[in-house]
Amino acid sequence: MMASFQWLILFETLMLTDLLLLRLTRGRDRLTAIVMAEARGIRASRIFCGAVMAIALVGGLVIALSPEEVLFPWLLPVLIMVPAVAASLLFRWQRRAVLSLEAEQAPRKAVLDLAGEPTPQALWLAALPPLITAGLVYVLAAQWSSLVLRDPAPVPATTPWHDPGFKGLVSFLVFGVVWNVYFGILSLMMWYGVSRQYAFRRSQVQAAVALSWSQTLLMPAWVLPLWLRLSPIGLLVCAVSFAVGTGLLVRFGRRARRDWQASDMPPSSYRFYYDRNDPSAFGERGTNLGNPWNWALFTAPAVFLALPLWSLW
Amino acid sequence: MASRIRIDLDSPVPATRQIADALRVELVEGRLKPGDELPSVRRAAVDLGLHFNTVADAYRQLAAEGWIDLKHGRSARVAERKAPAASRDAVAGYRQRLRALVSQMRADGISSRRIADELETLAKGVLS
């Protein structure tokens, strides 16, 4: 089951990447955004997103239920390749379709502020989460023999690193470190790689750091009680960690919304907007949070999270 | 130092020249003083949405004119600059360019009175 679980994580991550790739391509590519403003573009996008989600759901169930010998050598690669090929075909179609459309020409002005700006303190905080998780792994390894597992191995391992339970737990934490590093790099890229005229730059840097911290707090709070029989104090620490991690997300979500409301950016520069009558999920205006249909797409990550959890239990 | 420069990305004038011209105006009019730090080339390129080399060329042009000091691994700084003695030919060249510019303004329909007012404002700024 554990091997399938790891393949399931990989599979669902790749599915999510396909959806994100579509988002990123549209965000950066003005021509694709024009296609997406057309009914056929929106329809194609919905079909693609629906197909990816269906493959994520059905493929996830297949991986969770199939024995290893069925997954390899052909089933898993096929499941992974299908949405990638579909995404590639969709992008090609968008490029071709755009040739028949005229891009609207807006005057392009650029502004350079000659004033300097200090590096925000929050950037330094982005370096801490991976160290905290590494410290937690070190403490777990040192104390492993004295911890009570929910599902102990029949034959005790000589070192924690040979214990399947420890390796499973640590794989989650390492997965978290990967996200920590990702958010750390994202915060650096947002600060140094995005124009200072972009109104949400600072709030997005802070949000990336907050996400890194919240993930560092939420992941152990989620996996430690699953793996270990914790004392009431341990459970309390996990609950507090979970509450603080969630609180960070809420706080920075609210701050981003405040920045959005206070911003004097033109509507075309928004990353998010609320328009119930606009059928596009991602387009020239940004991400539309106002259309209920779009929430099917936005809640897709919940499917990706739910399937591995289901497999674990 | 809190001024801004604006670049028209659709203008036929090359972006390098627009950047150099706009910064030169800030330098000549004293809004950028010796010792002031300019945004790094990378930062300016990101903010303006231009290629790194476009901004670097503008900075190099200003450095060649003695306006800014470029040192590897450090932000560009406004340098102490002694104004060179202009030759008679240089003055004649600028006079010719001014006349050409005034003719262009008149050709574009700007009234003589308005042109004179603009030149007067400029002249006051130069003398102040």
Side-chain angles (χ1 to χ4, degrees):
Chain A
M1 181 58 83
M2 194 52 72
S4 285
F5 173 70
Q6 282 160 356
W7 286 119
L8 194 53
I9 288 274
L10 172 70
F11 176 71
E12 299 297 350
T13 307
L14 287 170
M15 293 296 110
L16 192 58
T17 308
D18 268 335
L19 287 175
L20 288 176
L21 262 181
L22 196 65
R23 168 72 185 97
L24 290 173
T25 309
R26 269 183 244 165
R28 305 233 177 277
D29 183 354
R30 184 176 166 76
L31 294 179
T32 307
I34 293 167
V35 172
M36 299 318 295
E38 282 222 331
R40 54 183 175 154
I42 296 166
R43 200 163 49 243
S45 166
R46 285 182 176 173
I47 291 169
F48 172 73
C49 291
V52 170
M53 282 195 287
I55 293 169
L57 193 66
V58 177
L61 285 170
V62 168
I63 292 172
L65 297 173
S66 303
E68 293 288 306
E69 57 272 20
V70 176
L71 280 180
F72 294 100
W74 63 273
L75 186 55
L76 189 68
V78 166
L79 282 171
I80 289 171
M81 285 304 292
V82 166
V85 171
S88 169
L89 289 175
L90 183 74
F91 294 150
R92 281 173 180 275
W93 174 80
Q94 285 175 342
R95 304 265 166 192
R96 275 204 306 274
V98 83
L99 296 176
S100 61
L101 298 168
E102 283 190 17
E104 59 175 278
Q105 290 295 321
R108 297 183 306 139
K109 305 276 183 196
V111 175
L112 173 62
D113 197 335
L114 297 177
E117 62 174 1
T119 305
Q121 302 286 334
L123 271 183
W124 295 105
L125 292 176
L128 289 178
L131 299 177
I132 291 172
T133 309
L136 180 63
V137 171
Y138 177 78
V139 169
L140 281 172
Q143 303 293 326
W144 191 248
S145 57
S146 60
L147 297 173
V148 184
L149 273 74
R150 284 188 183 277
D151 186 17
V155 183
T158 48
T159 67
W161 298 99
H162 291 99
D163 188 326
F166 180 80
K167 285 197 284 190
L169 175 56
V170 167
S171 68
F172 266 97
L173 297 176
V174 169
F175 185 65
V177 170
V178 172
W179 279 105
N180 288 152
V181 173
Y182 168 75
F183 285 125
I185 293 171
L186 184 68
S187 61
L188 285 170
M189 284 173 66
M190 282 305 298
W191 189 254
Y192 292 108
V194 172
S195 169
R196 285 181 290 174
Q197 310 306 319
Y198 179 52
F200 305 124
R201 177 168 161 257
R202 187 175 286 270
S203 64
Q204 288 196 350
V205 168
Q206 290 170 344
V209 177
L211 278 170
S212 181
W213 274 90
S214 68
Q215 189 276 322
T216 302
L217 295 168
L218 288 174
M219 185 64 94
W222 178 55
V223 296
L224 288 179
L226 280 177
W227 252 264
L228 306 171
R229 290 190 191 283
L230 296 173
S231 66
I233 294 175
L235 286 172
L236 182 67
V237 170
C238 285
V240 169
S241 179
F242 190 86
V244 173
T246 311
L248 273 172
L249 286 180
V250 172
R251 181 181 169 173
F252 281 91
R254 284 184 174 169
R255 179 180 284 188
R257 188 175 174 182
R258 206 169 51 235
D259 286 355
W260 180 73
Q261 285 165 341
S263 158
D264 59 354
M265 288 168 70
S268 61
S269 306
Y270 293 154
R271 289 289 170 97
F272 298 99
Y273 66 102
Y274 301 83
D275 188 347
R276 194 184 173 86
N277 298 319
D278 184 348
S280 61
F282 309 113
E284 185 79 350
R285 296 168 71 193
T287 304
N288 183 11
L289 299 178
N291 189 327
W293 199 95
N294 294 342
W295 285 97
L297 178 60
F298 301 145
T299 50
V303 177
F304 300 127
L305 279 177
L307 271 172
L309 269 180
W310 175 82
S311 165
L312 190 67
W313 280 322
Chain B
M1 184 179 76
S3 51
R4 290 174 159 200
I5 62 169
R6 284 178 171 72
I7 305 297
D8 182 356
L9 299 173
D10 292 325
S11 167
V13 180
T16 300
R17 188 167 150 200
Q18 286 189 61
I19 297 168
D21 287 351
L23 284 174
R24 199 181 294 106
V25 168
E26 300 295 316
L27 291 158
V28 169
E29 295 185 354
R31 284 190 288 278
L32 287 175
K33 295 183 171 52
D36 281 351
E37 238 178 47
L38 291 177
S40 68
V41 172
R42 198 168 296 280
R43 168 46 63 199
V46 168
D47 283 1
L48 295 170
L50 296 169
H51 194 271
F52 177 88
N53 285 341
T54 306
V55 180
D57 283 347
Y59 275 31
R60 276 196 288 268
Q61 190 177 325
L62 290 172
E65 293 171 17
W67 286 109
I68 61 175
D69 189 13
L70 292 177
K71 282 203 172 69
H72 187 70
R74 210 190 72 173
S75 288
R77 282 176 191 278
V78 179
E80 288 280 359
R81 181 179 186 268
K82 287 180 185 167
S87 66
R88 191 175 292 178
D89 286 349
V91 173
Y94 283 115
R95 188 186 301 121
Q96 185 59 36
R97 280 169 66 180
L98 272 175
R99 286 177 66 185
L101 186 63
V102 168
S103 302
Q104 183 67 49
M105 290 170 83
R106 292 181 72 174
D108 287 344
I110 302 172
S111 69
S112 304
R113 181 71 260 162
R114 180 70 192 273
I115 295 170
D117 287 346
E118 293 289 341
L119 289 173
E120 197 178 333
T121 308
L122 274 177
K124 280 179 186 166
V126 170
L127 291 170
S128 62

